[in-house]
């Protein structure tokens, strides 16, 4: 059967000249269909030959018209993390309090991050290092207040980070961060700095291990699928 002879009148998009990338995409779909048993070896060979000779996008579409890939909806773009936590998701009382008055308070290493953390630095310094923390909750709020002091917050590279606050003759700075994983934790930093400093940023080279494991599993599945072709 000559599939090229079945080409219907082309719409405006279908009349566009096909690129090498377009041909590669169709060839990948055909190879997948062959591996799944949807096409015989002869049908696959015939269609690949037609793909190589196709000149327009419309001509390419003919070769996958009867395959599921031609009818799949494109994936919706991932929405960025919201600027505020979900209503009712964060308790009013803190799970952890870090207070430094003419002193220093540090929380780092392997520790369990609660849903709400309060940090107060008055003529002192507070460091909250989440780069190796265990995230039991998807949303974490840190309330940071600095008066003639310093509050520093470090997060892993693969979480989302949001901040709301300001400074009065001081500095309030949060580096907005979006994780590629929609299920990654989101850290919200709220607070004020009065003649002091509040800063939140990613710790380069540090990642949440379970998120990295999920990414590795996805990559492994993709590699196995590619090698099995």
């Amino acid at each position: 059967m000559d599939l090229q002879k079945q080409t219907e009148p082309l719409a405006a998009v279908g009349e566009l000249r096909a690129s090498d990338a377009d041909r590669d995409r169709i060839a990948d779909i055909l190879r997948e269909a062959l591996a799944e048993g949807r096409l015989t070896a002869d049908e696959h060979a015939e269609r690949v030959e037609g793909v190589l000779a196709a000149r327009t996008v419309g001509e390419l579409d003919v070769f996958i018209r009867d395959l599921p890939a031609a009818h799949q909806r494109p994936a919706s773009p991932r929405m960025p993390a919201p600027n505020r936590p979900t209503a009712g998701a964060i308790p009013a009382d803190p799970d952890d309090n870090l207070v430094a008055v003419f002193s220093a308070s540090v929380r780092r290493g392997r520790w369990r991050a609660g849903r709400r953390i309060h940090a107060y630095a008055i003529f002192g310094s507070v460091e909250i290092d989440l780069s190796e923390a265990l995230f039991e909750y998807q949303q974490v709020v840190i309330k940071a207040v600095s008066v003639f002091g310093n509050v520093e917050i470090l997060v892993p590279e693969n979480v989302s980070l949001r901040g709301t606050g300001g400074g009065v003759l001081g500095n309030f700075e949060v580096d907005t961060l979006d994780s590629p994983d929609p299920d990654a934790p989101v850290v919200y930093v709220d607070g004020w700095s009065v003649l002091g400093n509040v800063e939140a940023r990613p710790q380069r080279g540090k990642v949440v291990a379970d998120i990295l494991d999920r990414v590795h599993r996805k990559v492994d599945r993709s590699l196995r699928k590619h090698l099995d072709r």
Side-chain angles (χ1 to χ4, degrees):
M1 180 178 64
D2 189 350
L3 290 172
Q4 285 179 287
K5 292 181 181 178
Q6 294 184 350
T7 306
E8 297 177 353
L10 301 175
V13 174
E15 294 172 355
L16 295 175
R17 285 280 182 169
S19 67
D20 289 340
D22 294 326
R23 294 186 183 89
D24 289 343
R25 178 178 62 85
I26 300 301
D28 286 341
I29 293 173
L30 294 176
R31 184 165 53 247
E32 192 76 29
L34 174 64
E36 293 173 350
R38 299 182 188 276
L39 296 175
T40 66
D42 289 341
E43 289 172 331
H44 175 261
E46 178 188 355
R47 296 193 187 197
V48 168
E49 183 179 353
V51 167
L52 296 176
R55 293 178 300 173
T56 66
V57 173
E59 290 175 356
L60 287 175
D61 289 341
V62 170
F63 298 102
I64 61 170
R65 186 171 295 164
D66 57 349
L67 299 176
H71 305 281
Q72 292 176 352
R73 295 182 178 179
S76 301
R78 188 183 69 82
M79 297 299 292
N83 291 325
R84 302 297 303 167
T86 304
I90 307 298
D93 297 327
D95 299 300
D96 289 289
N97 271 309
L98 287 87
V99 180
V101 181
F102 289 99
S103 62
S105 180
V106 178
R107 180 64 58 87
R108 66 161 70 102
R110 203 68 171 159
W111 60 289
R112 297 182 183 278
R115 285 175 292 180
R116 177 181 287 275
I117 302 169
H118 286 183
Y120 301 95
I122 303 172
F123 290 96
S125 66
V126 174
E127 178 185 344
I128 301 175
D129 188 346
L130 294 164
S131 60
E132 296 181 6
L134 297 173
F135 286 87
E136 296 183 326
Y137 303 98
Q138 204 265 337
Q139 298 180 89
V140 175
V141 169
I142 299 177
K143 179 181 178 182
V145 177
S146 172
V147 180
F148 288 96
N150 180 69
V151 177
E152 182 179 19
I153 300 162
L154 301 174
V155 303
E157 283 189 305
N158 58 341
V159 306
S160 294
L161 179 62
R162 295 289 186 271
T164 303
V168 179
L169 297 178
N171 178 61
F172 181 91
E173 183 176 354
V174 175
D175 293 346
T176 299
L177 184 65
D178 280 303
S179 172
D181 189 328
D183 297 323
V186 185
V187 178
Y188 296 93
V189 179
D190 293 342
W192 288 91
S193 172
V194 180
L195 292 167
N197 178 67
V198 173
E199 180 181 3
R201 55 184 172 82
Q203 177 74 312
R204 298 304 176 189
K206 295 291 187 178
V207 294
V208 178
D210 60 342
I211 297 177
L212 189 61
D213 289 342
R214 287 203 297 271
V215 172
H216 282 166
R217 287 195 293 270
K218 291 179 182 178
V219 172
D220 289 342
R221 285 197 297 269
S222 298
L223 286 174
R224 287 196 297 271
K225 188 175 182 181
H226 178 75
L227 292 174
D228 290 341
R229 290 175 177 176

